[in-house]
């Protein structure tokens, strides 16, 4: 199925309002999820709605919760998300941190206890919109681990995303690196399973710790494990994201002494920097233009596959999907109809919105 973004957003909005979210919350969460689909990250798009509804029914996700500023300490702002929608509380925390960075030049945001914050790049985009640089580290707790440590054979930590956003130049687009530290996000494995596809080799271990391309190993018990990017180096980044997001925010790490209720909680540490406080913006812009030009002039290894900057694949996807619609596989659509029902909407009502 190909669904127009506005229609998909409407479907998500009515489902979330059926779960008690205010119209404003439903609109913002739906916008975030559809934006993840538009940018090509189906793993963090509307396919998350079924999990959110189930978790909310377990009372582990609290609709209509705003972020709490726990400590206002100069350039350091500590927030608690109160298990509210991450798309809301992380956005609110970022808003305040960006405002503070405009005063102080740099601000550190510590956000604990947000329900799934979704596509972290969205918060990088928030910083970019304000002309800021941002750096984000998150960990994932309150559910079982997914990723094997380097040299290990079973899962011990989450897909711990890292994001870095830097405003572009006069000729170049903004640069947005936004990645899981696992080779693939779990949602991408779910999407592959729903489509009946295999995953790339060297991505997964089965329950015995052997390499496999079968996505179902992540959804059977005992579960397999995702592999981290870049062997010991990617593992090192994931390890440090766990420390920065789990320890420094006070939220806690995935170690088993901390309770796991089977929801998805993200803690995030973010640094927002006003680049104008570091130097001349005109020079920075022209330097970025020259640097990106230089990188992109590297001859293609495969014809038709030019060098890209981080953030380009998302722009390419968005242009294509705004024109052609967002692909939703049958399994995901079936799950969405199912949770719509749980929130009081019939399949006919949902299908009427989609048309
Ligand atoms: P990905 O592998 O598709 O892309 C990662 C990054 O690489 C992106 O910044 C992209 O622009 C860049 N990129 C891709 N191809 C490129 C190329 N040829 N040249 C230059 N740059 C290129 O993304 P992912 O690692 O699967 O992550 C998907 C999403 O999942 C992200 O939005 C991330 O924030 C999100 N995520 C969230 C959580 C959470 O707990 N909330 C956990 C893990 C991941």
């Amino acid at each position: 199925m190909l669904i127009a973004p506005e229609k998909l957003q409407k479907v998500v909005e009515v489902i979330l309002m059926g779960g008690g979210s205010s119209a404003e919350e439903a609109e913002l969460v739906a916008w975030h999820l559809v934006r993840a689909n538009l940018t090509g990250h189906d793993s963090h798009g509307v396919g998350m709605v079924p999990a959110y509804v189930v978790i909310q029914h377990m009372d582990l996700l609290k609709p209509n919760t705003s972020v709490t500023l726990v400590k206002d300490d100069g350039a350091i702002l500590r927030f608690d998300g109160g298990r509210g929608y991450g798309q809301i509380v992380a956005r609110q925390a970022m808003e305040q941190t960006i405002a503070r960075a405009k005063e102080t030049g740099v601000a550190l945001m510590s956000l604990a206890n947000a329900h799934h914050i979704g596509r972290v790049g969205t918060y990088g985009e928030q910083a970019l919109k304000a002309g800021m640089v941002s750096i984000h580290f998150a960990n994932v707790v309150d559910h079982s681990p997914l990723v094997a440590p380097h040299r290990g054979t079973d899962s011990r930590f989450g897909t711990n995303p890292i994001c870095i956003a830097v405003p572009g130049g006069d000729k170049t687009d903004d640069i947005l690196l936004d990645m899981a530290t696992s080779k693939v996000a779990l949602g991408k494995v779910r999407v592959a399973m729903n489509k009946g596809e295999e995953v790339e080799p060297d991505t997964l271990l089965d329950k015995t710790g052997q390499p496999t391309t079968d996505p179902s190993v992540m959804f059977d018990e005992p579960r397999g494990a995702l592999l981290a990017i870049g062997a010991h180096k990617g593992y090192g980044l994931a390890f440090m994201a766990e420390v920065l997001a789990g320890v420094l925010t006070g939220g806690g790490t995935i170690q088993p002494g901390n309770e796991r209720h089977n929801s998805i909680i993200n803690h995030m540490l973010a640094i927002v920097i006003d680049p104008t406080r570091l130097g001349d913006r005109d020079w920075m812009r022209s330097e970025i233009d020259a640097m990106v030009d230089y990188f992109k002039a590297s001859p293609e290894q495969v014809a038709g596959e030019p060098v890209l900057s981080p953030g380009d694949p998302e722009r390419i996807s968005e242009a294509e999907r705004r024109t052609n619609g967002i692909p939703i596989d049958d399994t995901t659509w079936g799950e969405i109809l199912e949770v719509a029902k749980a929130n009081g909407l019939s399949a006919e009502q949902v299908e009427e919105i989609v048309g």
Side-chain angles (χ1 to χ4, degrees):
M1 272 174 97
L2 284 170
I3 306 182
E6 318 74 57
K7 291 184 173 173
L8 199 52
Q9 169 152 348
K10 191 78 206 153
V11 169
V12 175
E13 276 179 44
V14 294
I15 295 175
L16 298 186
M17 284 197 284
S21 285
S22 67
E24 196 190 347
E25 172 168 285
E27 187 186 349
L28 198 53
V29 175
W31 171 83
H32 178 123
L33 295 174
V34 169
R35 175 141 191 82
N37 287 110
L38 279 171
T39 52
H41 296 294
D42 294 333
S43 55
H44 287 69
V46 301
M48 289 305 295
V49 171
Y52 292 174
V53 172
V54 169
I55 294 169
Q56 196 204 320
H57 286 198
M58 290 156 65
D59 204 25
L60 295 170
L61 162 58
K62 314 275 186 194
N64 307 316
T65 300
S66 292
V67 81
T68 307
L69 179 60
V70 178
K71 191 168 183 208
D72 182 339
D73 188 9
I76 300 179
L77 297 177
R78 282 186 57 205
F79 296 96
D80 188 276
R83 284 189 174 267
Y85 272 103
Q87 290 85 353
I88 302 292
V89 293
R91 191 165 194 84
Q92 293 170 337
M94 277 298 291
E95 259 162 31
Q96 295 187 45
T97 309
I98 290 168
R100 183 57 54 91
K102 282 184 178 162
E103 291 167 21
T104 52
V106 61
L108 179 73
M109 171 184 121
S110 150
L111 172 66
N113 208 19
H115 191 263
H116 193 231
I117 59 175
R119 174 180 170 255
V120 182
T122 319
Y123 313 108
E125 287 170 348
Q126 230 183 312
L128 291 171
K129 223 171 175 181
M132 298 280 166
V133 169
S134 69
I135 304 169
H136 310 250
F137 299 90
N139 73 336
V140 198
V141 298
D142 207 36
H143 77 151
S144 24
L146 298 170
V147 184
H150 183 61
R151 296 187 172 195
T153 51
D154 65 359
S155 52
R156 298 280 158 155
F157 55 93
T159 50
N160 296 2
I162 295 177
C163 171
I164 304 177
V166 180
D170 293 322
K171 295 186 295 173
T172 48
D173 291 306
D174 291 338
I175 304 164
L176 183 63
L177 177 71
D178 170 30
M179 57 177 223
T181 47
S182 55
K183 278 192 180 148
V184 289
L186 179 69
K188 288 197 175 152
V189 182
R190 172 170 47 78
V191 171
M193 188 175 74
N194 289 351
K195 288 184 179 165
E197 293 171 358
E198 297 207 328
V199 297
E200 296 275 309
D202 217 16
T203 307
L204 295 179
L205 299 179
D206 68 16
K207 64 180 177 193
T208 66
Q210 293 304 307
T212 178
T213 55
D214 174 6
S216 72
V217 300
M218 292 309 294
F219 303 93
D220 291 336
E221 284 300 332
R223 193 151 55 178
L226 304 174
L227 287 172
I229 52 171
H232 59 288
K233 299 182 188 179
Y235 166 58
L237 286 175
F239 193 121
M240 288 306 187
E242 190 72 31
V243 174
L244 295 176
V247 180
L248 266 64
T249 66
T253 70
I254 197 160
Q255 59 91 0
N258 292 325
E259 275 189 294
R260 293 177 189 160
H261 301 95
N262 227 6
S263 78
I264 316 165
I265 293 292
N266 283 129
H267 308 307
M268 175 159 72
L269 191 83
I271 304 159
V272 177
I273 303 164
D274 180 353
T276 61
R277 299 283 283 267
L278 284 167
D280 179 44
R281 270 304 278 143
D282 289 342
W283 177 82
M284 286 184 190
R285 270 200 283 270
S286 68
E287 189 66 10
I288 284 181
D289 284 340
M291 179 199 81
V292 171
D293 274 355
Y294 178 61
F295 290 170
K296 289 195 170 178
S298 179
E300 295 171 7
Q301 204 175 69
V302 175
E305 291 188 4
V307 170
L308 302 175
S309 294
D312 284 345
E314 286 73 12
R315 274 183 284 273
I316 294 166
S317 168
E318 187 177 353
E320 188 270 319
R321 290 183 170 195
R322 280 207 186 276
T323 309
N324 299 326
I326 294 171
I328 302 288
D329 66 80
D330 291 347
T331 311
T332 302
W333 188 243
E335 286 171 2
I336 288 175
L337 292 180
E338 194 77 7
V339 293
K341 206 165 132 198
N343 277 3
L345 289 144
S346 66
E348 292 71 37
Q349 283 172 299
V350 174
E351 270 156 9
E352 198 180 316
I353 298 170
V354 174

